[in-house]
Amino acid sequence: MIRIIMVAVILIGFLVVSYPLLLLEKKAAREDPHKQMEHSQEIVKKVFTLLLKVSGVKVTVKGLENIPEGAVLYVGNHQSYYDILLGYTTVPGLVGFVAKKEMLRWPLLSDWMVLVNCLFLDRENLKEGLKTILQGIDKIKDGISMWIFPEGTRNENENPLELMQFREGSLKIAEKSGCPVVPVAISGTPDVFEAHIPFVRPAEVTIEYGKPFYVKELPLEARKRSGAYTRDLIIKMLEKEQAYKKLPEEEQTYKKA
């Protein structure tokens, strides 16, 4: 129970105590947006790193060498709130997430989300959804990578290989901007919290960045179903990770941080 209390104290405490800083960051956004984004993201990364530490999370990162220079669209599976912490703390450069519009209900939290380039998707309104895609394209053109979870919500299946269907159209940001897509396989994060709510327990998690691809360079059928194509790639990465974890410890080469 102590870990969930520590996580709550850090998160709520940060949101409350940092209110004056939030106002300063908003002011800085009007004067030098790029500098503000870098500064805000650095603050959030430090908070997320602390949350991972007090939660007892050991992170293994694979495939960083696959991330190309410049802005990309990260596309991953989604099982836990901790997926977002991993996303912000393990990738280079400026990055933002496409989140559900319901997050706007949370003051202070949503303000910080805006400062670190989050976009809010209305999944029920096609017109508003198109606006979010256009905003995502603008972010990419400004050199800001974006994260998206095409399952649309957290996957609660016990079998991590049973991903929900990826929403076709979720890769439109990459297709229209011409940026590369980096598939991301995340495993182990539900063991931190979701598997035993309300407790936070130590866990070993893995995040792997796959080889990038361009939607426009895919074969015609794969291009038409780019969501399903990416889903299949991530499932193969997750299967590979499961096989890796079954190896004797002395044969495992990746270090946990």
Side-chain angles (χ1 to χ4, degrees), residues 109-145:
L109 176 60
S110 60
D111 290 325
W112 275 106
M113 290 176 71
V114 170
L115 289 173
V116 291
N117 295 299
C118 286
L119 301 177
F120 301 92
L121 179 65
D122 186 340
R123 294 171 292 184
E124 308 301 325
N125 188 316
L126 184 61
K127 185 177 180 181
E128 291 301 313
L130 179 58
K131 286 183 180 179
T132 304
I133 291 174
L134 294 175
Q135 290 172 339
I137 293 171
D138 288 338
K139 294 283 188 185
I140 293 290
K141 290 180 178 179
D142 287 339
I144 303 163
S145 295

Side-chain angles (χ1 to χ4, degrees), residues 71-90:
V72 307
L73 180 68
Y74 296 104
V75 180
N77 59 309
H78 187 30
Q79 303 175 85
S80 169
Y81 294 115
Y82 277 81
D83 298 337
I84 299 164
L85 277 64
L86 292 184
Y88 269 114
T89 57
T90 58

Side-chain angles (χ1 to χ4, degrees), residues 17 19 67 75 93 98-99 116 174 204 213 219 234 253:
V17 174
Y19 182 68
I67 300 177
V75 180
V98 177
V116 291
E204 296 181 358
F213 66 87
I234 293 173
T253 56

Side-chain angles (χ1 to χ4, degrees), residues 26-119:
K26 288 185 176 182
K27 180 180 178 182
R30 295 191 292 270
E31 298 171 357
D32 189 339
H34 189 82
K35 185 176 180 180
Q36 169 270 309
M37 286 186 284
E38 289 182 337
H39 190 245
S40 295
Q41 184 166 305
E42 190 60 33
I43 292 170
V44 169
K45 284 179 67 173
K46 288 179 179 178
V47 175
F48 284 177
T49 299
L50 179 59
L51 288 172
L52 289 169
K53 184 175 181 179
V54 300
S55 299
V57 180
K58 294 183 178 179
V59 183
T60 298
V61 184
K62 301 181 179 181
L64 283 176
E65 69 278 3
N66 290 326
I67 300 177
E69 292 185 7
V72 307
L73 180 68
Y74 296 104
V75 180
N77 59 309
H78 187 30
Q79 303 175 85
S80 169
Y81 294 115
Y82 277 81
D83 298 337
I84 299 164
L85 277 64
L86 292 184
Y88 269 114
T89 57
T90 58
V91 297
L94 291 172
V95 64
F97 275 76
V98 177
K100 55 187 180 182
K101 73 164 187 176
E102 288 78 7
M103 295 303 298
L104 288 168
R105 298 173 183 170
W106 298 92
L108 299 180
L109 176 60
S110 60
D111 290 325
W112 275 106
M113 290 176 71
V114 170
L115 289 173
V116 291
N117 295 299
C118 286
L119 301 177

Side-chain angles (χ1 to χ4, degrees), residues 76-79 151 153-166 186-187 190 231-232 234-239 242:
N77 59 309
H78 187 30
Q79 303 175 85
E151 289 171 284
T153 188
R154 285 186 299 111
N155 182 357
E156 298 181 6
N157 290 328
E158 291 187 9
N159 185 347
L161 300 180
E162 292 182 3
L163 304 189
M164 294 187 291
Q165 294 301 312
F166 279 23
I186 305 172
S187 59
R231 178 178 180 272
D232 289 343
I234 293 173
I235 289 175
K236 290 178 182 176
M237 293 165 67
L238 293 170
E239 289 174 338
Q242 283 194 352

